[in-house]
Amino acid sequence: MNAVNIGVSVLNMGISLVYVNYKRRETSVRQFEMTFIALSLVQYVIFIAIALLMYLVGQPIDYIMIMVLIALNVLGLQVTQINLVENIKKKYRNRDFNRHF
């Protein structure tokens, strides 16, 4: 599990943390959301492809499973971060809307 956690920290590349900053500077609705979702999915596919290559090369199954778990955890972290930011913005919009009535 330590290898997975270190791999997630390194291979996440800060994408989940940068989303908040880009969202704050957003000028139009959903300007960056689709870009970050696509980037997260591409990164996931690359990591799974690396795991598949490791399998084909004959790496031990432990290393392959670590790579698969890293891919899943990185994707989960990025999607969770996007979801948290979007839900907070939606919550505040609904609260402001309800104040007027």
Side-chain angles (χ1 to χ4, degrees):
M1 289 309 295
N2 288 336
V4 172
N5 289 331
I6 291 169
V8 168
S9 296
V10 171
L11 295 176
N12 182 30
M13 298 180 213
I15 293 173
S16 62
L17 301 174
V18 173
Y19 181 75
V20 178
N21 293 330
Y22 276 95
K23 191 65 176 178
R24 189 177 321 136
R25 291 183 268 166
E26 179 179 62
T27 56
S28 65
V29 177
R30 295 185 176 208
Q31 180 180 358
F32 297 106
E33 184 179 357
M34 289 301 155
T35 303
F36 277 91
I37 290 173
L39 184 60
S40 298
L41 290 175
V42 166
Q43 190 178 21
Y44 172 75
V45 168
I46 290 170
F47 293 157
I48 292 296
I50 291 170
L52 182 62
L53 285 172
M54 290 171 67
Y55 174 75
L56 294 175
V57 170
Q59 292 290 323
I61 193 71
D62 295 342
Y63 296 150
I64 297 167
M65 290 306 296
I66 288 171
M67 192 64 206
V68 170
L69 288 173
I70 288 171
L72 290 171
N73 283 319
V74 166
L75 180 65
L77 180 66
Q78 292 170 351
V79 170
T80 300
Q81 185 69 22
I82 292 169
N83 191 29
L84 285 173
V85 170
E86 294 301 321
N87 280 341
I88 288 173
K89 289 187 82 118
K90 183 178 178 182
K91 179 180 174 183
Y92 283 120
R93 264 188 270 144
N94 287 341
R95 191 176 76 186
D96 290 342
F97 178 76
N98 291 335
R99 271 191 206 157
H100 297 293
F101 295 102

